[in-house]
Amino acid sequence: MCIGSVFLENLLSCSFCLCILIVQFLRLLTIRHETIIYAFACLLAWIYMFFFIMPFRFTGPFVIMIYKMLFNDVLRFCIIYIIFLAGFSQSYFVLFNRNGLQGYFSSVKQCFLGLLGDFHFEHYVKEQYLWAGTLLFILYVVIITILLLNLLIAMMGDTYKDVKRSARQLWHLERTRIVLDIESGISASKRQSSINKYWVDIQDNLVKLKDEQFNITYTEWIKKKYDKSNVPASTKTTFTSSIVDFITKFINEINDLIPHIDRVRQQFRASKQARQAAMEQEDIITIHLDWSENFKLKQARQEKAITFLLASYYYEQHISILSGLLWKKNDCFSFGSISDDTNHMSEATWAAIQHL
């Protein structure tokens, strides 16, 4: 599924156009086979409708399921089945001395109908080689009808479970691929036109609510200093305010988010260039670090105090985790460290990477 809906759309549209071109070519040469090509073109045109119903939540996961079954399960089944079909067909062809290529195709037809349960026993067992024909027939029924068909059903059942488990994610992925494929086909000026926008302008809609009089409860990440911690930590906190104050604060946060996204893009490009340089040059090493913000991870320490009675008590201390990746020429590895200090400053980073 690495190519997904884009591959499906290209395959079906190219196949349909090819059929139409072949029909026109046959008409020019006055060859009487254009009706057959027309029949296949009609089939491809209707199957092409799958591409248009894939973006919808109701039908998208089902289309993905059919796609995965056809190109994974059925394809593998057909490869194995063709080997057995050719082998059994040639065995019956040799055994009953059927003449020529037409006789071999007749044997293939009878074996294929046997897969569908349409058995005509006189085609498989004759008096000349009664026991040999019966043995081949039993082997064919066991291997093809019982083993392979049930194996195909089991494979499709596994595929159904896998797709159903991640149906929503796969649907979002294929819908994104379709949007990217459509956008790549139009120019940048048309893509930025307000007519082609498929998102909602939150800021304009929020301004319309400023005349409303009600309170709103929301959650925000704020910096908060814990005991046993040297620096503030990000904490999820709940607030309640009027809708007017909330809209004002929200718009300010959106305005701050735009330059932040631009900085993230610049950092991503710089990081990519640094990784590439480290993997090409021997005198450059690039280290990517990531501190965890999981302050629910704690350790318990026991402290003993001597007073009038010997006693001990426990207290909890927050732990921070540093994970990272190191790139150098022809090599890349990950590392991690645990610290009882939640300080994410440069000195803490240096202490964590000294062992490298």
Side-chain angles (χ1 to χ4, degrees):
M1 288 295 292
C2 59
I3 42 185
S5 56
V6 178
F7 171 74
L8 178 65
E9 193 267 343
N10 291 333
L11 176 65
L12 293 175
S13 59
C14 291
S15 301
F16 176 75
C17 294
L18 181 62
C19 288
I20 299 299
L21 290 175
I22 293 175
V23 168
Q24 302 304 320
F25 182 74
L26 293 178
R27 282 186 175 181
L28 289 175
L29 299 179
T30 63
I31 300 176
R32 298 181 180 180
H33 294 290
E34 63 180 65
T35 306
I36 300 175
I37 308 299
Y38 258 136
F40 283 100
C42 293
L43 177 63
L44 290 172
W46 281 103
I47 295 178
Y48 189 44
M49 291 295 296
F50 283 128
F51 175 75
F52 297 99
I53 66 174
M54 187 178 289
F56 297 98
R57 188 191 304 270
F58 184 71
T59 55
F62 190 75
V63 175
I64 296 171
M65 193 179 304
I66 295 175
Y67 179 87
K68 289 177 71 70
M69 287 181 179
L70 284 176
F71 285 86
N72 291 331
D73 303 331
V74 176
L75 182 61
R76 282 182 290 182
F77 170 80
C78 288
I79 294 174
I80 303 299
Y81 174 68
I82 287 173
I83 296 174
F84 280 111
L85 179 64
F88 279 101
S89 299
Q90 189 165 359
S91 296
Y92 281 114
F93 173 77
V94 172
L95 194 63
F96 299 129
N97 194 23
R98 291 173 177 169
N99 297 321
L101 187 62
Q102 185 177 1
Y104 179 72
F105 284 144
S106 176
S107 180
V108 171
K109 175 185 175 182
Q110 294 301 326
C111 289
F112 178 75
L113 292 176
L115 172 69
L116 305 178
D118 187 11
F119 293 108
H120 295 283
F121 199 67
E122 63 273 9
H123 291 285
Y124 302 95
V125 178
K126 293 185 179 180
E127 294 182 359
Q128 185 178 3
Y129 298 104
L130 180 63
W131 293 105
T134 304
L135 179 61
L136 283 175
F137 178 75
I138 294 174
L139 288 176
Y140 183 80
V141 171
V142 171
I143 295 176
I144 304 298
T145 309
I146 298 178
L147 180 61
L148 284 185
L149 280 182
N150 284 281
L151 182 61
L152 175 62
I153 295 172
M155 291 165 56
M156 288 183 172
D158 292 338
T159 302
Y160 175 80
K161 292 179 181 178
D162 293 339
V163 175
K164 187 177 181 181
R165 190 182 302 115
S166 57
R168 186 178 180 87
Q169 292 84 352
L170 289 173
W171 171 73
H172 281 297
L173 174 63
E174 296 305 327
R175 184 171 181 172
T176 304
R177 283 174 173 166
I178 292 173
V179 172
L180 290 175
D181 183 53
I182 295 174
E183 284 189 345
S184 62
I186 60 178
S187 61
S189 58
K190 291 183 178 180
R191 195 183 308 136
Q192 296 173 0
S193 175
S194 58
I195 300 176
N196 297 323
K197 288 183 178 179
Y198 47 83
W199 60 84
V200 178
D201 195 333
I202 300 177
Q203 186 169 335
D204 292 343
N205 291 331
L206 286 177
V207 171
K208 298 177 182 179
L209 296 175
K210 280 192 172 182
D211 297 331
E212 302 292 336
Q213 299 294 328
F214 60 88
N215 293 334
I216 187 171
T217 301
Y218 61 95
T219 303
E220 182 181 356
W221 288 92
I222 64 170
K223 292 289 186 178
K224 182 178 179 181
K225 197 171 187 308
Y226 285 91
D227 296 336
K228 309 294 182 179
S229 177
N230 298 329
V231 294
S234 299
T235 306
K236 188 183 293 185
T237 309
T238 302
F239 297 95
T240 301
S241 66
S242 64
I243 185 62
V244 177
D245 295 337
F246 171 77
I247 292 174
T248 303
K249 183 177 180 61
F250 186 83
I251 293 176
N252 292 334
E253 294 289 342
I254 292 295
N255 293 332
D256 293 337
L257 178 63
I258 296 174
H260 173 72
I261 294 176
D262 185 60
R263 288 193 299 268
V264 170
R265 289 176 177 172
Q266 294 178 7
Q267 291 173 359
F268 178 79
R269 287 192 292 265
S271 175
K272 186 177 181 180
Q273 293 174 0
R275 293 197 303 268
Q276 190 67 26
M279 299 179 70
E280 294 176 354
Q281 304 179 31
E282 293 184 355
D283 58 341
I284 297 179
I285 292 177
T286 300
I287 303 175
H288 177 89
L289 301 175
D290 185 19
W291 285 99
S292 73
E293 290 278 340
N294 183 13
F295 286 91
K296 291 184 179 180
L297 181 60
K298 304 173 183 179
Q299 65 175 353
R301 286 189 174 182
Q302 182 182 17
E303 298 291 341
K304 294 183 178 180
I306 301 178
T307 55
F308 296 103
L309 297 174
L310 183 62
S312 63
Y313 64 94
Y314 292 85
Y315 74 93
E316 291 181 338
Q317 185 172 11
H318 295 284
I319 297 176
S320 59
I321 301 176
L322 172 70
S323 60
L325 287 168
L326 186 144
W327 287 272
K328 62 179 183 178
K329 189 172 183 180
N330 300 326
D331 193 14
C332 174
F333 62 88
S334 60
F335 62 91
S337 63
I338 299 177
S339 174
D340 58 358
D341 194 346
T342 56
N343 181 10
H344 297 179
M345 301 303 177
S346 57
E347 60 269 17
T349 303
W350 173 247
I353 65 175
Q354 284 191 68
H355 67 281
L356 296 176

